[in-house]
Amino acid sequence: MRYSRFFIPTLREVPAEAEVVSHKLMLRAGMIKKLASGVYNYLPLGLIVIRKVEDIVRRCMNEAGAIELLMPSVQPAELWKESGRWNYYGKELLRIKDRHDREFCYGPTHEEVITDVVRSFISSYKNLPINLYQIQTKFRDEVRPRFGLMRGREFVMKDAYSFDMDDAGANISYENMRQAYCRIFEACGLKYKVVDADTGSIGGSFSHEFMVLADTGEDFVISCDSCDYSANLEKAVCVDEYTKSADELKPSEDVETPRAKTVEEVAAFLNVPSASIAKTMIVRVDEKLVGIMVRGDHEMNMAKVKNYFSATTVELASHEEIEEATGGPMGFSGPVGMKVPVYGDFAVAAMVNYCVGANLKETHTLNVNHGRDFEFADVDDFRNANPGDKCCQCGGKYVITKGIEVGHIFKLGTKYSASMNATFLDNEGKRQPFIMGCYGIGVTRVAASAIEQNHDEKGIVWPVQLAPFKVCVVPLAVKDEEVMKNAEVIYNTLNRMGLEPIIDDRDERAGVKFNDAELIGIPVRITIGKKTLEKGCVEITVRKTGITEEVPVEGCTERAAAILQELSQNC
Ligand code: ATP
Ligand code: MG
């Protein structure tokens, strides 16, 4: 590629709208341009990187035996009504109507469509298992699109769906995908972690997320400092490690707590630790209201609440619902006299003489005790794990890190096949629903994550595997015949060697060219200048280390190839 004929609209200024590094650098490097909130043009340089991710994904999926197809992005509402998701999916689903007033949506995912394809053509166990995938543009009307390609509304996803005749087969398909995903993220040169993930209300199944570890991640990963346990915060198990104190129960009393609303404010006002307060949240589980109690210094975990009740939706109750459940105003809920069942976290079940909301404005009750003042309907794990908590697997300590979810694999079971009547005949001639799995990779998010993990103050430092060009050939004086002749020879040789070079043939100052090469993150630069040429040499600079070496013109391309080889092995 010739820089002068290519289109890389780099920016000198850091765009104000961008918060995270990958977003800033993608804009500055001329890789993307925003069209609307969460909707981006993939400019040529950005597209090359996206295609590289796609190529790796495609190769690994094909090697794992999955078969590529392409489904439409516009999907008829009927299919979503069959699966029951039309009403349930909410505002993330972009709903549209055609000229005949028929309802459609722009696909955020394709379980319905693939299930419809498979039920139309596969009717015998003899054709199973099968795993079909596509690489395609999705649309999700995210509440907060942000961070550029990291959380777009329109984005590219690889989604795969497996169909098996029985549970054992489905587990094999799942494991096959888990391994393929590991190969994909390794091939992309990313440092990642596979973590246990929440399966939501589908139940019985399992799920893993693939997290790229980065400070800008929106997900929290809990891992153990002594064993291999790793889980999304939503899922990380808190063990019941508490023993109830044998302290004598004191009589309870109401105290006024003016202007103190949050746990911290109440704790400061009463001069007690947050851990001696228990907070009560009123939650709507599907249609039902319940109270959930966690210790003052803990956070309630909605995913755990949802799973406990096998619910479809879980939401914090409204003002009116809180009044209905407690008889008191929002912000002062407590378990005593509550009109709905109260569930306690393990940590609360071990407390004695604690402080709770009194269901009265600006009032709390001291020395409350369950068993005496109220009863728990049940006790379970309802809170987020904290760093330092005991590991559920080995008793070690939890640590917390941030991660970007780049992939998600999920054993679905018969959720879609049962609701959409997708069946096959088993070897005894009986109709059975397919056992399904689904597997997603955020292709555009992978490109952004690679930048989050690989950058410095000058710009992007692409892992060789994803670099849009592997070598940048920089002739310092484009008007000098000797310099240009050598640069062209080197460029052509690199091209023949498949090293994907770009030659910066622009009539620009050296500084400008170097800055751009560094900003767009080309792993290796070969600089051809008059002075070094007089010695029969060129300079090779490695983007990652900044180290420059002088090498003879003869053999400089081999040296570049060797450096690239080394870089890709060290990723
Ligand atoms: P998130 O929790 O980040 O919203 P999700 O659980 O909704 O993700 P899935 O439905 O599992 O995501 O989609 C599969 C993959 O698609 C994700 O692992 C992620 O890499 C990618 N993805 C999901 N939403 C977006 C988005 N808004 N922008 C870019 N990539 C996305
Ligand atoms: Mg999402």
Side-chain angles (χ1 to χ4, degrees), residues 194-198 207-211 218-223 229-237 301 303-304 384-385 400-401 403-405 408:
V194 190
V195 309
D196 262 5
D198 181 51
S207 164
H208 286 94
E209 285 165 352
F210 290 74
M211 296 281 187
E218 293 183 279
D219 281 274
F220 290 95
V221 178
I222 294 282
S223 7
Y229 182 75
S230 213
N232 192 312
L233 181 65
E234 285 191 338
K235 169 89 181 184
V237 177
N301 180 316
K304 289 182 180 177
N384 282 345
I400 193 162
T401 40
I404 302 165
E405 181 198 316
H408 194 174

Side-chain angles (χ1 to χ4, degrees), residues 367-429:
N367 299 322
V368 164
N369 286 286
H370 50 278
R372 182 189 69 184
D373 305 321
F374 73 99
E375 296 290 343
F376 284 127
D378 196 8
V379 172
D380 210 304
D381 169 17
F382 292 119
R383 69 168 175 101
N384 282 345
N386 282 332
D389 285 349
K390 194 166 165 183
C391 169
C392 66
Q393 218 165 261
C394 76
K397 278 197 165 45
Y398 283 157
V399 286
I400 193 162
T401 40
K402 280 184 169 181
I404 302 165
E405 181 198 316
V406 284
H408 194 174
I409 58 176
F410 204 106
K411 188 174 160 205
L412 287 171
T414 56
K415 182 177 159 71
Y416 297 92
S417 50
S419 58
M420 295 180 65
N421 199 20
T423 59
F424 64 96
L425 291 175
D426 69 11
N427 57 0
E428 288 167 5

Side-chain angles (χ1 to χ4, degrees), residues 38 89 92 108-109 111 138-142 144-146 148-159 181 185 209-210 218-219 232 234 404-410 438-446 449:
Y89 210 91
E92 256 188 39
T109 176
E111 282 81 7
K138 301 278 186 270
F139 194 97
R140 294 182 180 182
D141 204 351
E142 298 272 355
R144 278 190 73 198
R146 58 195 173 139
L149 300 195
M150 206 66 97
R151 183 168 297 283
R153 292 199 294 170
E154 188 178 288
F155 59 95
V156 178
M157 196 202 282
K158 185 287 301 176
D159 44 329
Y181 272 40
F185 297 119
E209 285 165 352
F210 290 74
E218 293 183 279
D219 281 274
N232 192 312
E234 285 191 338
I404 302 165
E405 181 198 316
V406 284
H408 194 174
I409 58 176
F410 204 106
C438 69
Y439 317 92
I441 290 184
V443 170
T444 36
R445 191 182 278 184
V446 166
S449 310

Side-chain angles (χ1 to χ4, degrees), residues 184-249:
I184 289 170
F185 297 119
E186 265 151 41
C188 288
L190 294 171
K191 289 187 263 318
Y192 69 97
K193 232 182 167 106
V194 190
V195 309
D196 262 5
D198 181 51
T199 51
S201 55
I202 293 158
S205 317
F206 39 86
S207 164
H208 286 94
E209 285 165 352
F210 290 74
M211 296 281 187
V212 162
L213 302 179
D215 289 341
T216 43
E218 293 183 279
D219 281 274
F220 290 95
V221 178
I222 294 282
S223 7
C224 175
D225 67 357
S226 342
C227 75
D228 64 355
Y229 182 75
S230 213
N232 192 312
L233 181 65
E234 285 191 338
K235 169 89 181 184
V237 177
C238 300
V239 288
D240 184 2
E241 53 172 319
Y242 310 96
T243 29
K244 195 166 174 175
S245 118
D247 286 1
E248 201 179 309
L249 306 192

Side-chain angles (χ1 to χ4, degrees), residues 244-263:
K244 195 166 174 175
S245 118
D247 286 1
E248 201 179 309
L249 306 192
K250 296 182 189 162
S252 64
E253 62 172 309
D254 283 358
V255 287
E256 285 193 13
T257 47
R259 290 178 302 281
K261 268 202 153 179
T262 65
V263 168

